Amino acid sequence: MYPKEIVTAAKVLYFFFTTLLNKRTLGEEFTDLRYINRSGKSFVQRYKKLIFVVSYIVGPYLLTNIWNIFNKRLKRDSSNNINSEEEMQNHIRYRDMLDNIVNIHLLIFYLQGSYYDITKRILGMRYITGHTISKQEKELRETTTKGYKLLGYLLLFQNVSSTYSTLKNVLNSFKFTSSIHNEKHVSKPLNLSETKLTKNITDEYHQNHIRLSDETQFKFIPSESRDCALCLSKITDPSVGPCGHIFCWDCIVDWCRERPECPFCRKKCEIQQIIALK
Amino acid sequence: MSLKRLLKEKRLIEKELSGYSESIELLEPVAFENFLKWRAVLKGPVNTPYHKHSFKLLIELPSEYPLVPPAITFEPYSMPHCNVEFSTGKICLNILEHEHWSPVWNLMYVMVALYQLLQEPVVDSPLNIDLANILRAGDTSAYHGLINYYLQEDTATH
């Protein structure tokens, strides 16, 4: 019924009985880790742990819900508000920005090796091992650290190049909008309503049915195989049984209700075996 | 489904019929407003006793066509053939039976199959037992004579 809610509740319970009661989670116990504060001189206060648990578990749940509501409202508005298309773009940019922050955080983690979660970084919740490190473990740590650093540099390179290209785009769009600004104002309302209208019609035509009379659909089907042998028209919603012969969905389903076999090769074909190509 | 398909079939037949002038003389709906009733005329194949005769067929298409086969008969009392009941014109041909029919076949295909039946009578599933017995006994002159007798009588009375 409420899968998301149940998962969230389970996580809250888990962290309540572990982190909040100053016990360790399974992973922390396995790796023998404890929380300490940023300076590394004392344990982390409980209120910080509480903030961490709430933001780590309930935070994403609330955020996605708010995000969805916000999105719906935006869509509703966009039907009677022309400007909202620009708003939508700002909105998308905003999300990109959040993504970037997460990326940069991850990058620092890979290079530096502390604070895997953003909230932990903000609250200063670091880990300390509860035992002295043996020579073998030290070697292992050094090799894995190298791997993560390499990953960090790759991420850095990716981020730098993508930022560069978006910056370039933004600069270009600035030039573009300023030069055609006047012209745009006159023609825009009319064009928009027109494209929306025709778009709706074609969307309905294409979304509800796949028609092989449209040559851009399923280009790999040769022209001599695009007719349905049952209705003798171009295939609508191409569908196949186990043998691979193609018919319209309606035609082959009707026939298999009459007799469950392929009309061409008579191979057994129950209705539930028919697959509509998408 | 059936009407749209029959319209398509009709167009195809109009296009292709000239290519079958040796075997099929006519294949068309009886009336333009009723596509569920068709008529056809087959020519008698050479090297058979049917040569130089033609045979009328009555075709009734059920509304479920092509999911069920067309009902086809020769005109009653017109067709002396091993696999045709003389008094009714009923045809014994497996592709016209419910359990053997396939919806990818069409009227043209059925006509070709019937033409082949005129060329090669099947003595093992007869509807005209007398003719089948004579043919099975290998008495070709009696076989030809009997068919000629029926066909001449037929042309004489009509």
Side-chain angles (χ1 to χ4, degrees), chain B residues 11-67:
Chain B
R11 274 189 213 136
L12 275 175
I13 288 165
E14 281 165 1
K15 229 195 296 180
E16 290 175 359
L17 198 61
S18 57
Y20 290 89
S21 56
E22 289 289 298
S23 50
I24 305 168
E25 203 172 287
L26 183 84
L27 178 58
E28 62 178 23
V30 171
F32 187 73
E33 41 325 319
N34 185 4
F35 266 46
L36 294 180
K37 245 190 177 126
W38 287 51
R39 64 178 161 220
V41 176
L42 284 185
K43 284 183 179 172
V46 284
N47 301 324
T48 67
Y50 308 110
H51 188 48
K52 298 200 169 158
H53 294 276
S54 39
F55 303 92
K56 285 183 190 159
L57 288 158
L58 310 169
I59 305 169
E60 294 211 22
L61 294 152
S63 57
E64 299 92 347
Y65 179 83
L67 299 181

Side-chain angles (χ1 to χ4, degrees), chain A residues 229-234 247 250-251 254-255 258-259 261-264 266, chain B residues 1 4-5 8-9 12 66-68 97-105:
Chain A
L230 300 185
C231 64
L232 305 178
S233 309
K234 290 275 178 244
F247 304 92
D250 285 344
C251 294
D254 277 353
W255 168 250
E258 189 76 24
R259 192 151 16 107
E261 61 177 37
C262 172
F264 274 120
R266 302 208 180 250
Chain B
M1 179 157 161
K4 200 179 157 203
R5 156 143 170 173
K8 291 251 174 194
E9 276 199 41
L12 275 175
L67 299 181
V68 294
E97 290 161 9
H98 261 260
E99 58 270 36
H100 294 114
W101 167 255
S102 164
V104 300
W105 295 332

Side-chain angles (χ1 to χ4, degrees), chain A residues 67-248:
Chain A
W67 175 261
N68 284 343
I69 292 167
F70 190 61
N71 257 353
K72 261 182 212 161
R73 189 174 298 161
L74 203 82
K75 266 179 198 158
R76 215 183 308 136
D77 286 350
S78 70
S79 54
N80 41 31
N81 188 0
I82 293 165
N83 288 331
S84 65
E85 221 161 87
E86 276 166 31
E87 264 171 40
M88 186 85 111
Q89 271 187 349
N90 286 339
H91 192 61
I92 290 163
R93 259 182 223 150
Y94 182 64
R95 203 171 56 178
D96 284 349
M97 206 173 73
L98 282 181
D99 277 350
N100 276 338
I101 290 172
V102 173
N103 273 345
I104 288 166
H105 162 75
L106 202 64
L107 200 153
I108 296 171
F109 168 76
Y110 282 144
L111 293 178
Q112 195 191 23
S114 49
Y115 307 120
Y116 181 63
D117 297 290
I118 288 187
T119 39
K120 283 185 184 172
R121 185 183 296 283
I122 295 165
L123 296 169
M125 289 167 72
R126 294 180 64 184
Y127 276 125
I128 189 169
T129 39
H131 58 276
T132 44
I133 294 164
S134 66
K135 204 181 163 191
Q136 212 184 351
E137 198 181 338
K138 207 181 167 192
E139 276 170 19
L140 185 78
R141 274 167 183 256
E142 273 166 6
T143 47
T144 45
T145 308
K146 269 182 204 162
Y148 279 118
K149 279 205 169 149
L150 182 69
L151 205 61
Y153 286 122
L154 281 175
L155 215 64
L156 182 69
F157 177 70
Q158 193 207 351
N159 270 357
V160 166
S161 59
S162 73
T163 324
Y164 174 71
S165 66
T166 40
L167 265 178
K168 221 164 96 176
N169 277 345
V170 168
L171 279 177
N172 278 345
S173 69
F174 259 114
K175 281 181 205 160
F176 190 65
T177 44
S178 58
S179 66
I180 63 158
H181 202 256
N182 292 329
E183 196 184 337
K184 204 168 143 194
H185 254 283
V186 185
S187 59
K188 198 177 176 185
L190 188 76
N191 274 346
L192 203 78
S193 61
E194 235 179 71
T195 50
K196 255 187 194 159
L197 201 73
T198 50
K199 211 168 123 192
N200 281 344
I201 294 167
T202 49
D203 275 357
E204 174 128 318
Y205 184 83
H206 284 292
Q207 271 169 11
N208 293 347
H209 295 291
I210 297 169
R211 291 167 210 272
L212 293 193
S213 51
D214 175 0
E215 279 171 22
T216 59
Q217 295 275 10
F218 295 106
K219 281 181 189 160
F220 59 89
I221 301 177
S223 57
E224 65 267 25
S225 306
R226 298 175 83 88
D227 289 323
C228 172
L230 300 185
C231 64
L232 305 178
S233 309
K234 290 275 178 244
I235 294 177
T236 303
D237 299 328
S239 302
V240 293
C243 58
H245 285 117
I246 309 177
F247 304 92
C248 300

